């Protein structure tokens, strides 16, 4: 049981660091924003494993959902600006 | 070049500090004194099953009041900064392509359900994971779905402001009532604590958290609305 | 478990800071900040974790009498809950200023904004 948990946590860690890498290295800003949302989503699963369901719920609803949408709202408004 | 080098040095130093912290970290095997107090006294004193909610609403209720104030300030500043832009472009609204049948019908079906789910989450905050902040975010996501269906839809600012100020007033009012009738500001024992684990229990916690949920939902909705109203032709 | 989460959080903070300090596009700087924010939250929750214990919610499986021995520290969770909500407010404000910057200057590149530089 514990081994399975540690294996899942390691997988999550790899996924989060990979998504964070995409965030700072992506060519397009939109990709970076989606990857940042993905980091938040994986973090919310990690919170669930850390026995914090309240925080997991908040992170999934706010950190992953609303923040990404706010980013895309603003990105839609500044289209045509110097993209990199 | 020099800038990148300085960034590299800074990150290296921070990394060394983090590594040191990680190396010296010894996980606690027992709850510390504060946590122990909360674990022992929450059920008897406050009657709330979710200790995190009890901490947020009652033990550190003043923090939460400050937090919703900060959120209110943030949404007000966003409205203030963006206000000028929207007035100029009001006349130039272009005709957007109609959103698809699926999105329109789906949102008509889902929006009431999402609102209901948000209300469920914040009413049950003292029993299950969840509460005002999560429920507020869910309510704001219903507003988001409406905006996705019809980007030119305008929510009534008056209604949002009304919901926000009434819930803020009730929040502070219940806090002051706690000072008059019970132990202190935001004390939840102005209502009977009831049977442990029932919906109507834990005194004023469900009441306070519901209004926090409405307030947070209104604030997030006003942020989204203000950003959406910058839509140009 | 807590060790893994804490290490991940620290790495995310470092990566987010790297992105925020080296990027020139203001939207990318804000995105990097949210990654660092997530990392900080992860570290804080990991500090409260204790091996073999469950979430701080009392019900049939965690009776009130055994709570002290069965639940993890609830205080960091309450703090992180606050931090996430405030984080969205801060992000929304940064995005608003980014939008205003674009409206005024027509660019998102912070290195082209030299009004306050000398």
């Amino acid at each position: 049981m514990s081994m399975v948990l540690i294996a899942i946590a390691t997988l999550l860690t790899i996924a989060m660091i990979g998504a964070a890498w995409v965030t700072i290295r992506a060519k397009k800003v939109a990709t970076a924003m989606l990857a940042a949302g993905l980091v938040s989503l994986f973090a919310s699963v990690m919170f669930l494993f850390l026995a914090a369901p309240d925080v997991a719920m908040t992170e999934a609803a706010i950190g992953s959902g609303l923040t990404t949408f706010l980013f895309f709202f603003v990105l839609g408004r500044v289209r045509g600006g110097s993209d990199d | 070049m020099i800038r990148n080098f300085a960034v590299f040095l800074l990150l290296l130093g921070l990394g060394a500090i983090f590594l040191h912290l990680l190396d010296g970290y010894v996980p606690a095997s027992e709850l510390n004194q504060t946590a122990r107090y909360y674990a022992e006294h929450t059920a008897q004193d406050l009657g709330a099953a979710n200790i995190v909610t009890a901490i947020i609403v009652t033990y550190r209720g003043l923090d939460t009041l400050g937090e919703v104030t900060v959120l209110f300030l943030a949404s007000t500043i966003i409205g203030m900064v963006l206000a000028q832009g929207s007035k100029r472009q009001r006349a130039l609204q272009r005709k957007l392509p109609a959103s698809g049948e699926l999105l329109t019908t789906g949102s008509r079906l889902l929006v009431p359900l999402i609102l209901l789910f948000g209300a469920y989450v914040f009413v049950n905050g003292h029993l299950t994971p969840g509460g005002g902040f999560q429920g507020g975010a869910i309510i704001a996501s219903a507003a988001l779905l409406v905006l996705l269906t019809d980007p030119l839809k305008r929510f009534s600012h008056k209604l949002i402001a009304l919901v926000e100020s009434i819930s803020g007033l009730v929040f502070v009012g219940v806090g002051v009532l706690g000072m008059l009738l019970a132990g202190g500001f935001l004390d939840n024992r102005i209502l009977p604590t009831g049977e442990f684990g029932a919906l109507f229990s834990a005194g004023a916690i469900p009441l306070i958290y519901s209004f926090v949920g409405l307030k947070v939902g209104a604030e997030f909705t006003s942020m989204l609305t203000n950003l959406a109203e910058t839509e140009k032709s | 478990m807590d060790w893994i989460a804490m290490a991940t959080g620290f790495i995310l903070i470092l990566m987010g800071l790297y992105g925020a300090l080296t990027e020139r596009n203001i939207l990318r700087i804000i995105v990097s900040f949210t990654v660092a924010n997530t990392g900080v939250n992860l570290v804080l929750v990991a500090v409260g974790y204790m091996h073999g214990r469950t979430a701080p919610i009392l019900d049939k499986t965690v009776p009130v009498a055994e709570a002290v021995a069965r639940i993890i520290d609830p205080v960091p969770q309450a703090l992180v809950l606050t931090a996430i909500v405030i984080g969205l407010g801060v992000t929304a404000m940064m995005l608003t200023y980014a939008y205003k910057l674009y409206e005024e200057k027509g660019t998102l590149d912070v290195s082209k904004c030299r009004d306050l530089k000398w």
Side-chain angles (χ1 to χ4, degrees):
Chain A
M1 183 60 200
S2 177
M3 279 308 285
V4 177
L5 261 184
I6 287 176
I8 295 174
T10 317
L11 269 181
L12 274 178
T13 299
I14 294 168
M16 277 166 82
I17 292 172
W21 180 255
V22 173
T23 304
I24 56 177
R25 279 275 158 247
K27 286 247 160 46
K28 281 184 176 169
V29 184
T31 319
M33 287 170 179
L34 277 182
L38 205 59
V39 173
S40 267
L41 205 58
F42 285 133
S44 103
V45 181
M46 194 71 133
F47 287 139
L48 207 57
F49 282 121
L50 290 172
D54 278 286
V55 183
M57 222 171 148
T58 319
E59 179 81 37
I62 295 178
S64 168
L66 284 183
T67 310
T68 313
F69 266 105
L70 278 181
F71 275 126
F72 273 97
F73 259 130
V74 174
L75 184 67
R77 303 293 179 267
V78 298
R79 262 295 146 73
S82 57
D83 198 65
D84 288 49
Chain B
M1 196 60 224
I2 295 172
R3 187 157 156 266
N4 275 354
F5 186 66
V7 168
F8 184 71
L9 269 189
L10 175 74
L11 290 181
L12 208 66
L14 264 182
I17 294 173
F18 287 162
L19 212 61
H20 185 72
L21 282 177
L22 206 57
D23 191 40
Y25 175 67
V26 183
S29 57
E30 292 235 320
L31 292 180
N32 58 33
Q33 224 171 353
T34 324
R36 178 179 283 268
Y37 179 86
Y38 292 151
E40 278 171 349
H41 291 77
T42 301
Q44 297 135 14
D45 290 1
L46 308 183
N50 187 343
I51 298 179
V52 178
T53 300
I55 292 176
I56 288 178
V57 179
T58 302
Y59 288 123
R60 291 169 188 236
L62 210 57
D63 274 15
T64 307
L65 186 59
E67 182 185 357
V68 289
T69 312
V70 169
L71 262 188
F72 168 70
L73 277 178
S75 74
T76 314
I77 292 172
I78 289 169
M80 210 171 74
V81 171
L82 292 179
Q84 206 190 0
S86 64
K87 212 168 278 172
R88 250 184 293 144
Q89 265 104 20
R90 182 137 301 171
L92 307 159
Q93 287 186 348
R94 84 183 137 162
K95 254 196 128 42
L96 291 166
S99 27
E101 185 69 29
L102 203 61
L103 190 58
T104 319
T105 318
S107 86
R108 208 175 292 151
L109 177 71
L110 282 177
V111 164
L113 287 179
I114 294 176
L115 286 177
L116 191 66
F117 179 56
Y120 173 82
V121 166
F122 62 63
V123 169
N124 279 291
H126 59 301
L127 302 175
T128 51
F133 297 107
Q134 294 91 327
I138 291 169
I139 285 183
S141 69
L144 189 67
L145 188 58
V146 173
L147 280 177
L148 279 183
T149 321
D150 180 9
L152 296 180
K153 168 104 182 158
R154 294 291 169 255
F155 291 102
S156 155
H157 282 275
K158 276 216 180 93
L159 182 70
I160 294 175
L162 195 71
V163 169
E164 228 235 288
S165 27
I166 287 181
S167 21
L169 271 179
V170 173
F171 185 17
V172 176
V174 170
V176 172
L177 270 183
M179 206 146 62
L180 295 176
L181 301 176
F185 190 63
L186 283 171
D187 195 325
N188 73 329
R189 284 167 292 188
I190 54 173
L191 297 171
T193 40
E195 187 191 347
F196 180 75
L199 178 58
F200 292 104
S201 65
I205 286 182
L207 185 71
I208 296 176
Y209 228 10
S210 301
F211 281 104
V212 170
L214 282 179
K215 191 166 163 63
V216 170
E219 276 154 3
F220 284 164
T221 309
S222 110
M223 281 181 198
L224 288 171
T225 315
N226 278 323
L227 275 171
E229 280 177 8
T230 56
E231 173 83 62
K232 281 182 201 158
S233 58
Chain C
M1 189 69 208
D2 49 349
W3 196 87
I4 297 173
M6 206 178 280
T8 314
F10 281 141
I11 294 172
L12 284 183
I13 295 172
L14 287 180
M15 290 176 88
L17 278 184
Y18 172 79
L21 290 175
T22 52
E23 295 288 350
R24 293 180 185 283
N25 185 333
I26 190 164
L27 280 180
R28 280 171 180 270
I29 294 176
I30 301 171
V31 171
S32 303
F33 260 113
T34 62
V35 171
N37 195 0
T38 310
V40 173
N41 293 340
L42 207 53
V43 171
L44 275 178
V45 172
V47 168
Y49 182 76
M50 275 179 233
H51 192 70
R53 297 195 179 205
T54 59
I57 294 168
L58 309 169
D59 53 7
K60 288 193 188 72
T61 51
V62 186
V64 178
E66 293 174 26
V68 176
R70 295 285 302 280
I71 63 167
I72 65 168
D73 195 346
V75 181
Q77 296 192 16
L79 293 181
V80 170
L81 216 126
T82 311
I84 291 173
V85 178
I86 295 295
L88 177 66
V90 172
T91 309
M93 274 179 63
M94 288 199 282
L95 283 172
T96 309
Y97 287 126
Y99 174 72
K100 266 298 181 200
L101 184 78
Y102 175 76
E103 218 180 33
E104 294 285 322
K105 311 248 178 207
T107 176
L108 289 172
D109 193 337
V110 283
S111 62
K112 282 183 192 150
C113 305
R114 299 184 165 275
D115 297 359
L116 288 179
K117 267 191 176 170
W118 68 87

